[in-house]
């Protein structure tokens, strides 16, 4: 077979390319996938820069990446639903399947989760990936492999919007217009939300959001959370507040504003991951009887729905992609994400041919929209 060149984080700001053995199928229910494209997540950049996220610390060299799509090159003897040549989106976290959380239907909460590019486990910026067949989702003919690499962040958004129980006719405020916030807005629209207000601190991101899924935008102000919320409600004509508020920023002022924007009896979902501890307006939560939920990764049915939304033309993930770089240029792609020069950039697999380093058809509005993106969680 071909190269299994892998993009390895040795320690903060120290990466290298390493030829690693091609993985073997660990069970008859596994498949081997040649990686075609991988997106970069803020968490990859965070590990690259800081070497840790919370209690997940990179102690040994770790392959980065977990937003991938690829082509099946080998199937185990027990696999009946996939064959060589099938194009798949990879779900990159593998739960134990036996614990109460797995058996209760919330496998994303499994304590034994093996998640790609979350230490100590290697990620998908590599040539070949071995995975259980039921975590490899066949792409319909009208969904490309590049779109397939965007299914992971879209599944994050699907899970957040499901946690928010968005109903037809709802008003939904999404804090943050990075990839996750933009995708939350698009998923909320597909769930029937009729008013979708995207909020950010960078105007160019809001301009892009308006061209993507938001019906209204609001540039967050450096005033008190109560005043910011009052102005947001007035500017989007939200009456007594929004039915649903989603935080996809992780920023403390955004979270504080959210609790003042949500209506009495409304729903708040925490999707963003920022500081572990913040000042939280707990009295607003209590007095308004707000339903508050967390959202972590994705679970049963989320990947399937994400793929269906793309296949049905409900979420146009292609619009988020600024370009594709060759595997050898992986580090420069990380720099572009860190510097906020792109919304999403894809890294081709080491065995994939790429014509140009960065797609020259990039819409300048997209690049403008990405400015100010920290790329870190
Ligand atoms: N819950 C999960 O399972 C999960 C999965 C993936 C990512 N995340 C988290 O979701 C968040 C969004 O991810 P992303 O990739 O879009 O990140 P991102 O950094 O690209 O986007 C965050 C956005 O929030 C904006 N922002 C910053 N401060 C703000 C404020 N005060 N008010 C409004 N907007 C503000 C930024 O300008 C940026 O556009 C991150 O915190 C990330 O860690 C969570
Ligand atoms: O999309 C999945 C997320 O990036 C990961 O859960 C990461 O942020 C924490 O491990």
């Amino acid at each position: 077979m071909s190269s299994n060149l892998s993009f390895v984080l040795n320690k903060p700001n120290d990466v290298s390319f390493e030829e690693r053995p091609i993985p073997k199928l660990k069970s008859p229910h596994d498949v081997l996938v040649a990686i075609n494209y991988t997106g970069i997540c803020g968490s990859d950049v965070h590990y690259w820069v800081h070497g840790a996220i919370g209690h997940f610390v990179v102690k040994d060299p770790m392959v980065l990446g977990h937003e991938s799509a690829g082509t099946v090159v080998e199937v185990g003897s027990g696999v009946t639903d996939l064959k060589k040549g099938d194009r798949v989106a990879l779900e990159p976290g593998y739960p134990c399947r036996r614990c109460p959380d797995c058996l209760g239907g919330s496998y994303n909460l499994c304590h034994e989760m093996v998640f790609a590019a979350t230490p100590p486990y290697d990620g998908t910026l590599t040539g070949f990936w071995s995975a259980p067949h039921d975590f490899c989702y066949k792409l319909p003919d009208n969904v490309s492999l590049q779109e397939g690499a965007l299914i992971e962040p879209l599944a994050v958004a699907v899970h957040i919007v499901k946690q928010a129980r968005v109903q037809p006719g709802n008003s939904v405020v999404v804090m943050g217009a990075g990839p996750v916030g933009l995708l939350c807005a698009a998923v909320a629209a597909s769930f029937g939300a009729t008013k979708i207000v995207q909020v950010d601190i960078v105007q160019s991101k809001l301009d892009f959001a308006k061209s993507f899924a938001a019906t209204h935008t609001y540039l967050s102000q450096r005033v008190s959370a109560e005043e910011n919320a009052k102005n947001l409600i007035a500017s989007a004509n939200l009456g007594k507040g929004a039915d649903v508020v989603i935080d996809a920023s992780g920023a403390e002022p955004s979270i504080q504003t959210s609790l003042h924007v949500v209506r009495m009896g409304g729903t708040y979902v925490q999707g963003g991951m920022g500081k572990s501890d913040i000042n939280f307006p707990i009295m607003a939560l209590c007095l308004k009887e707000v339903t508050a939920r967390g959202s972590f990764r994705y679970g049963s049915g989320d990947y399937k729905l994400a793929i269906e939304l793309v296949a049905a033309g409900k979420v146009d993930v292609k619009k988020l992609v600024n370009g594709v770089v060759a595997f050898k240029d992986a580090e420069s792609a990380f720099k572009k994400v860190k510097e906020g020069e792109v919304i999403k950039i894809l890294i081709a697999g080491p065995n994939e041919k790429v014509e140009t380093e960065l797609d020259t058809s990039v819409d300048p509005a997209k690049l403008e929209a990405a400015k100010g993106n920290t790329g870190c969680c």
Side-chain angles (χ1 to χ4, degrees), residues 41-42 156 160 175-181 199-202 205 220 248-251 253-254 270-274 295-297 372-377:
C41 170
V156 168
I160 291 173
M175 298 289 189
V180 172
V199 183
D200 208 288
I201 49 173
V202 181
K205 291 190 178 214
S220 203
S249 77
S254 150
Q270 186 61 46
M273 295 174 174
S295 185
F296 188 43
R297 296 172 176 158
N373 183 348
T374 60
C376 281
C377 39

Side-chain angles (χ1 to χ4, degrees), residues 95-333:
C96 78
R97 303 175 191 250
R98 288 181 298 274
C99 70
D101 288 315
C102 285
L103 295 176
S106 301
Y107 68 77
N108 55 322
L109 305 182
C110 175
H111 287 266
E112 306 296 324
M113 177 67 83
V114 173
F115 200 91
T118 298
Y121 306 109
D122 285 323
T124 59
L125 273 167
T126 183
F128 295 91
W129 183 253
S130 164
H133 73 97
D134 50 341
F135 283 70
C136 300
Y137 298 79
K138 189 172 169 176
L139 296 171
D141 290 345
N142 68 338
V143 178
S144 71
L145 279 160
Q146 293 189 4
E147 290 171 307
L150 271 292
I151 298 299
E152 199 275 351
L154 180 55
V156 168
V158 164
H159 196 69
I160 291 173
V161 174
K162 279 191 188 172
Q163 287 292 82
R165 315 283 196 267
V166 170
Q167 301 290 320
N170 273 176
S171 55
V172 178
V173 173
V174 182
M175 298 289 189
V180 172
L182 292 166
L183 291 169
C184 283
V187 176
S190 78
F191 275 43
T194 42
K195 185 175 277 188
I196 300 163
V197 189
Q198 196 108 39
V199 183
D200 208 288
I201 49 173
V202 181
Q203 181 58 47
S204 54
K205 291 190 178 214
L206 295 177
D207 296 340
F208 180 79
K210 200 71 192 287
S211 74
F212 193 61
T215 58
H216 297 66
T217 58
Y218 177 77
L219 186 65
S220 203
Q221 298 164 358
R222 285 179 185 272
V223 293
S224 73
E226 285 94 333
E227 199 179 338
N228 203 25
K230 200 168 125 240
N231 296 342
L232 193 167
I233 287 170
S235 98
N237 204 11
L238 284 166
K240 302 263 186 235
D243 296 315
V244 169
V245 182
I246 288 167
D247 175 72
S249 77
E252 182 168 4
S254 150
I255 295 165
Q256 291 165 339
T257 301
S258 297
L259 272 294
H260 297 296
V261 166
V262 68
R263 69 163 165 80
M264 300 279 243
T267 300
Y268 172 71
V269 174
Q270 186 61 46
M273 295 174 174
K275 280 198 284 181
S276 302
D277 298 297
I278 59 160
N279 277 322
F280 185 84
I282 197 104
M283 194 57 82
L285 180 85
C286 172
L287 297 181
K288 296 206 251 183
E289 286 201 357
V290 172
T291 299
R293 293 196 187 88
S295 185
F296 188 43
R297 296 172 176 158
Y298 22 73
S300 302
D302 294 336
Y303 252 68
K304 182 171 175 288
L305 179 54
I307 291 172
E308 283 168 3
L309 290 174
V310 175
K314 303 258 184 205
V315 181
D316 188 358
V317 290
K318 286 191 302 297
K319 282 190 174 171
L320 304 188
V321 179
N322 297 111
V324 182
V325 298
F327 197 73
K328 67 178 174 53
D329 297 315
E331 189 171 7
S332 72

Side-chain angles (χ1 to χ4, degrees), residues 18-98:
E18 227 174 78
E19 192 64 55
R20 294 210 167 177
I22 292 175
K24 302 240 177 299
L25 304 188
K26 293 182 214 81
S27 120
H29 301 288
D30 283 1
V31 297
L32 188 66
V33 175
I35 302 287
N36 294 105
Y37 297 103
T38 300
I40 302 172
C41 170
S43 64
D44 291 312
V45 177
H46 203 94
Y47 282 124
W48 175 52
V49 175
H50 302 287
I53 296 180
H55 61 279
F56 291 108
V57 181
V58 179
K59 294 183 181 144
D60 297 308
M62 177 184 85
V63 179
L64 290 164
H66 62 265
E67 299 181 0
S68 295
T71 308
V72 175
V73 293
E74 186 185 343
V75 295
S77 57
V79 178
T80 54
D81 60 344
L82 288 174
K83 57 180 188 321
K84 268 166 84 166
D86 281 346
R87 301 164 321 116
V88 291
L90 297 177
E91 183 167 343
Y94 309 113
C96 78
R97 303 175 191 250
R98 288 181 298 274

